[in-house]
């Protein structure tokens, strides 16, 4: 039940619940990955059950696809949907320009493809994800397994010329094995502490052989819905230049909180 949630989970929940209201009948909607996005999927499932809204969801990972089907959302592929009206996803960090670090959950590649194939991307996040400068959260970079150590060496060399504080890179692990993305790739996490020029970094990283995609989302996100543990939500719209405040009630719906 909602009373058992930590303040961070409450913040994630209220952001997700507010953003779930952006989905309208007939839309094609990108569904993000991660714990905040999982709340969104549950809230959308609730809207399908209670209000009978109908929309098609394009998941950004096998995890999200499973949950979406479980809660009654019609799941289609991006190819079937063609183009999306809206994508709603979490983030690991966002700054004042709504540049993002994503990929903490390992789904950055599908997330970036889906978000950029959408008219609008909305990020849902607890307030702790808001930063002045990106980089405290390790930046995920997806690389193909073939020759990954060579890609890592080239990445580290490229970092020397960039405006960052740290330069350590680590292979993401799953127990004693490398973590595999849904595409069967590896992830290198870049411990940079501070990214002075995220736009330049995003371009340079993707030129390194073996790099498939990086977790910097620049000029992709249109809106962020920031949740707080007390139920407050703030909606920042970068295009309109507006900041709106709202409140979301916690609900005691067993269906929503069943698997938490
Ligand atoms: O990018 C992501 C997954 O690849 C997530 O959106 C990001 O890691 C945030 O996760 P959470 O909502 O669990 O804090």
């Amino acid at each position: 039940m909602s009373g058992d949630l930590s303040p961070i989970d409450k913040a994630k929940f209220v952001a997700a619940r507010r953003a779930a209201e952006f989905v309208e009948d007939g839309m094609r909607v990108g569904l993000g990955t991660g714990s905040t996005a999982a709340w969104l999927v549950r809230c959308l499932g609730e809207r399908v059950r209670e209000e009978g809204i109908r929309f098609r969801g394009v998941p950004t990972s096998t995890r999200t696809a499973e949950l979406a089907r479980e809660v009654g959302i019609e799941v289609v592929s991006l190819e079937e949907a063609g183009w999306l009206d809206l994508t709603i996803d979490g983030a690991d960090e966002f700054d004042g320009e709504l540049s993002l670090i994503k990929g903490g959950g390992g789904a950055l590649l599908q997330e970036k493809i889906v978000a950029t194939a959408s008219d609008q991307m909305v990020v849902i996040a607890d307030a702790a994800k808001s930063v002045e400068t990106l980089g405290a959260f390790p930046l995920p970079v997806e690389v193909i397994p073939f020759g990954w150590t060579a890609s890592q060496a080239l990445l580290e060399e490229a970092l020397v010329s960039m405006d960052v504080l740290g330069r350590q890179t680590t292979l993401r692990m799953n127990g004693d094995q490398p973590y595999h993305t849904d595409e069967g790739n590896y992830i290198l996490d870049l411990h940079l502490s501070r990214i002075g020029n995220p736009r330049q970094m995003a371009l340079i990283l993707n030129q390194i052989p073996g790099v498939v995609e990086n977790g910097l989302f620049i000029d992709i996100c249109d809106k962020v819905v920031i949740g707080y543990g007390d139920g407050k939500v703030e909606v920042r719209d970068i295009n309109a230049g507006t900041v709106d405040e709202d409140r979301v009630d916690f609900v005691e719906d067993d269906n929503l909180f069943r698997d938490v």
Side-chain angles (χ1 to χ4, degrees):
M1 305 289 263
S2 65
D4 301 329
L5 297 181
S6 69
I8 288 280
D9 276 322
K10 282 187 172 170
K12 289 179 178 190
F13 169 74
V14 293
R17 189 149 233 241
R18 177 68 184 85
E21 292 169 17
F22 298 148
V23 174
E24 293 170 15
D25 232 16
M27 275 188 167
R28 293 158 299 177
V29 182
L31 305 171
T33 294
S35 56
T36 322
W39 281 120
L40 170 84
V41 172
R42 290 188 188 102
C43 290
L44 288 174
E46 187 195 36
R47 290 198 60 200
V48 169
R49 287 191 303 275
E50 310 269 308
E51 297 169 37
I53 64 156
R54 298 210 50 183
F55 68 95
R56 284 173 290 163
V58 174
T60 51
S61 63
T62 48
R63 269 169 291 161
T64 297
E66 275 165 27
L67 180 62
R69 286 197 187 94
E70 210 177 287
V71 300
I73 294 171
E74 181 186 345
V75 170
V76 295
S77 66
L78 184 54
E79 300 81 74
E80 286 168 313
W83 192 259
L84 305 179
D85 300 286
L86 171 68
T87 285
I88 307 175
D89 199 349
D92 299 301
E93 282 185 353
F94 63 90
D95 69 10
E97 294 181 356
L98 303 196
S99 295
L100 317 171
I101 288 184
K102 284 189 51 55
L108 64 139
L109 178 56
Q110 290 191 21
E111 289 172 338
K112 200 179 270 191
I113 294 171
V114 167
T116 53
S118 306
D119 284 342
Q120 210 190 24
M121 182 199 192
V122 174
V123 156
I124 46 179
D126 56 278
K129 307 274 182 66
S130 172
V131 296
E132 280 279 321
T133 307
L134 298 176
F137 191 91
L139 175 65
V141 176
E142 184 158 342
V143 295
I144 64 165
F146 177 86
W148 70 269
T149 50
S151 302
Q152 183 181 33
L154 289 170
L155 267 171
E156 286 175 356
E157 203 179 299
L159 290 178
V160 173
S161 62
M162 290 192 228
D163 182 7
V164 291
L165 282 183
R167 296 208 170 89
Q168 202 204 350
T169 65
T170 50
L171 181 67
R172 193 177 295 184
M173 301 297 286
N174 184 9
D176 57 0
Q177 294 297 314
Y179 173 88
H180 279 89
T181 66
D182 273 358
E183 276 70 34
N185 294 320
Y186 291 170
I187 289 187
L188 290 168
D189 287 307
L190 277 46
H191 305 264
L192 309 172
S193 298
R194 177 185 181 280
I195 302 174
N197 191 338
R199 193 176 296 274
Q200 178 202 41
M201 174 165 288
L203 291 175
I204 292 175
L205 292 178
N206 279 16
Q207 285 170 9
I208 294 170
V211 169
V212 182
E213 194 47 88
N214 70 81
L216 286 166
F217 284 46
I218 314 289
D219 297 333
I220 295 177
C221 176
D222 299 284
K223 236 180 232 181
V224 61
V225 181
I226 307 165
Y228 295 80
D230 63 357
K232 187 177 106 173
V233 286
E234 205 176 286
V235 183
R236 285 190 208 161
D237 183 324
I238 193 80
N239 304 314
T242 53
V243 181
D244 295 319
E245 277 193 21
D246 211 343
R247 291 201 72 78
V248 169
D249 291 331
F250 296 106
V251 285
E252 301 292 329
D253 176 343
D254 284 340
N255 280 321
L256 267 180
F257 296 101
R258 180 166 39 116
D259 302 320
V260 179

